[in-house]
Amino acid sequence: MTTETATLALAKQLIARASVTPDDQGCQELLAERLQKIGFTVEQLDFGQTKNIWARRGSGAPLLCFAGHTDVVPSGPEDKWTSPPFDPTEHDGRLYGRGAADMKSSIAAFVTACERFMAAHPDHAGSIALLITSDEEGDALDGTTKVVDVLKARGETIDYCIVGEPTAVDTLGDTVKNGRRGSLSGNLTVKGKQGHIAYPHLAENPVHKAAPALAELTAAEWDRGNAYFPPTGFQISNINGGTGATNVIPGELNVKFNFRFSTESDSDGLKRRVHEILDKHGLNYDLQWTLSGQPFLTEAGRLTEAAQAAVAEICGVHAELSTSGGTSDGRFIKAIARELIELGPVNATIHQIDENVELSALPKLSAVYERMLAELLV
C-alpha cells in the first residue's frame, strides 16, 4: 500500500467511527493494534468515561511524542451535510467527514509515518511515543491532563512533542503553532438595590455603578506582548441585568469576561489588577474565576527548525511560527515537554458542517512527520 492510500485508508477507518466526545468508539483500539505490530508498548490509561493511550517504543532519549485526540464534536444536523458525517466520502479532491481536519487525518498520518520510519530505521536513536485521548473536545478533565499527571509521577519527560491540531490557514504547512495564549475567565456579579425607576434615590443601580469600572477594564493595558505573543486582551462576552420591565432598577448586574493572555502576564497578576480596579470604584461584588490554561511557548530551536525544514521540503512553503488561536492539549503536555509545537492540516472547516481536508494533504502530512522523525532521531 502506498503512502497516499495507507494514510487515507486509516483516516477513513477513524472517521467512520462516530467518536463524539468522550466516546472513543474503538478508535484507540484500532490504533493500538497498528502500533503494537511495529514494536510499541501500549498502555490504556482510562479515567471516568475517557479513553487514553500512551504508546511508546524505546526507552532512551530523546523522546519524540505525537499527541492528539480521537474525539470529535457533534455533527450538527446530519441532513445539512452533503454526505453523512460519519461516512467518509471523497469528492472534488477532498475527504469529507466529522474529524477529517480535527484531527483524525493527523492521527492517521502519525501512525503511517511511524510505520515507514520504523521500516527504514529499525535501530533509530531515542524513543517514539503517542499520547492519544478521547476528551479534548469536551471538558478535558480526564484526558491528556490525567495522562500527564501519570507520566510526571513516574518521572517521564518528553524532549519533542508534535500535536496534530489543524494549524494551517491556507495551505498545508503554512503555519506552525509554537505556543498558545492562556485563558482566564471571570464571572462578576455587581450587587445593587432593586427599586422603582421613578424613585432612584430609594434604589442603587448596579449598572450605573459598574459602568466606570468596566470602561477602565476594557481600556487597560495589561501587557505589551512580545516577539511571539500579541498583547494580553480583555473581552466582555456576556452582560445582563434587570427583570425585563422598563420601570424597574435591577438589583444585580452579571458580567462574564475573558482574558487571553501572553507569557508577559500571569493569572494571579491579572486577577489582582481586576480586583484593584473594582475595589477602587467601590463596588459591592462577587467574582468567580476559572483558569482554562496557562500560556506556553517553545522558543525557536531544534523542533521548530525540523518542522520548517520538513514543510519546506515536502510542501514547498515556509512555515510561519504563530501563537494565535484558542487553547489545546499542548497546555497540559508542555509541563513535561521541553519543546512542543502543533502542526496539522488546514483549519478552515473544523467544527463546521461538511468538515473536510484536501486528499493531497494526507500523504504530505505523513511525509512531514516522517521527515521530522528522521531529522530528530537519526
Side-chain angles (χ1 to χ4, degrees):
M1 190 178 288
T2 66
T3 299
E4 182 171 0
T5 55
T7 307
L8 174 60
L10 181 53
K12 284 184 168 183
Q13 285 181 284
L14 293 170
I15 293 168
R17 298 170 188 247
S19 55
V20 176
T21 188
D23 187 359
D24 177 67
Q25 284 286 310
C27 289
Q28 292 177 22
E29 182 179 353
L30 174 64
L31 299 174
E33 290 175 1
R34 293 279 288 259
L35 294 169
Q36 286 167 336
K37 288 179 181 178
I38 54 173
F40 280 83
T41 298
V42 180
E43 290 183 75
Q44 193 77 44
L45 298 170
D46 297 343
F47 299 95
Q49 295 181 303
T50 300
K51 298 284 187 184
N52 305 293
I53 57 173
W54 171 251
R56 180 165 178 161
R57 184 182 192 273
S59 58
L63 170 60
L64 186 152
C65 174
F66 292 107
H69 59 91
T70 51
D71 61 320
V72 297
V73 296
S75 65
E78 294 196 14
D79 60 351
K80 301 292 185 183
W81 285 69
T82 303
S83 53
F86 299 106
D87 181 10
T89 305
E90 298 176 49
H91 59 86
D92 298 327
R94 295 181 173 274
L95 173 64
Y96 286 79
R98 176 58 85 222
D102 190 12
M103 54 173 286
K104 291 182 174 180
S105 294
S106 295
I107 293 176
F110 289 165
V111 174
T112 56
C114 288
E115 289 172 338
R116 293 192 312 278
F117 179 74
M118 304 302 183
H121 307 281
D123 299 317
H124 63 82
S127 307
I128 305 172
L130 280 83
L131 194 171
I132 308 294
T133 183
S134 71
D135 184 31
E136 195 273 347
E137 299 289 9
D139 294 333
L141 298 175
D142 290 324
T144 300
T145 184
K146 289 284 182 69
V147 177
V148 168
D149 288 343
V150 170
L151 299 176
K152 190 186 301 184
R154 61 195 194 198
E156 291 193 63
T157 58
I158 296 167
D159 294 284
Y160 308 116
C161 184
I162 304 166
V163 184
E165 288 291 344
T167 56
V169 178
D170 297 312
T171 186
L172 178 67
D174 63 11
T175 305
V176 171
K177 304 285 188 183
N178 65 319
R180 294 277 191 166
R181 292 174 294 175
S183 178
L184 175 66
S185 296
N187 186 354
L188 171 67
T189 300
V190 180
K191 302 172 184 178
K193 183 180 179 182
Q194 184 173 312
H196 196 293
I197 208 157
Y199 302 96
H201 61 288
L202 299 178
E204 184 177 356
N205 194 322
V207 179
H208 295 182
K209 294 279 287 185
L214 296 179
E216 184 170 346
L217 288 167
T218 57
E221 179 183 274
W222 305 95
D223 62 46
R224 297 184 179 181
N226 56 36
Y228 295 101
F229 287 96
T232 290
F234 171 91
Q235 288 292 320
I236 293 173
S237 57
N238 289 275
I239 183 166
N240 61 80
T243 64
T246 60
N247 62 348
V248 179
I249 292 171
E252 289 187 346
L253 174 71
N254 180 255
V255 182
K256 293 180 172 63
F257 59 86
N258 177 265
F259 284 101
R260 291 302 166 100
F261 63 103
S262 77
T263 49
E264 296 297 306
S265 291
D266 64 80
S267 56
D268 289 340
L270 294 172
K271 291 178 185 179
R272 184 171 58 253
R273 285 189 62 192
V274 169
H275 282 286
E276 287 173 353
I277 290 171
L278 297 176
D279 292 341
K280 183 178 74 173
H281 288 273
L283 300 184
N284 179 14
Y285 68 91
D286 177 71
L287 178 51
Q288 303 296 319
W289 294 99
T290 302
L291 178 64
S292 300
Q294 297 283 5
F296 65 88
L297 176 69
T298 293
E299 298 275 358
R302 184 82 191 281
L303 183 58
T304 59
E305 290 169 1
Q308 289 175 316
V311 166
E313 179 183 328
I314 305 299
C315 305
V317 299
H318 173 70
E320 296 287 344
L321 300 182
S322 171
T323 62
S324 64
T327 60
S328 78
D329 275 2
R331 68 192 189 273
F332 305 127
I333 303 170
K334 192 62 172 69
I336 59 169
R338 184 163 56 86
E339 297 181 50
L340 181 147
I341 62 167
E342 299 172 25
L343 171 58
V346 172
N347 58 26
T349 64
I350 60 174
H351 294 202
Q352 295 182 14
I353 301 293
D354 283 346
E355 178 181 350
N356 66 82
V357 65
E358 282 190 76
L359 287 167
S360 61
L362 272 68
K364 288 181 180 178
L365 183 58
S366 182
V368 166
Y369 293 152
E370 182 187 9
R371 182 69 186 83
M372 294 181 68
L373 283 165
E375 175 64 26
L376 297 166
L377 297 183
V378 175

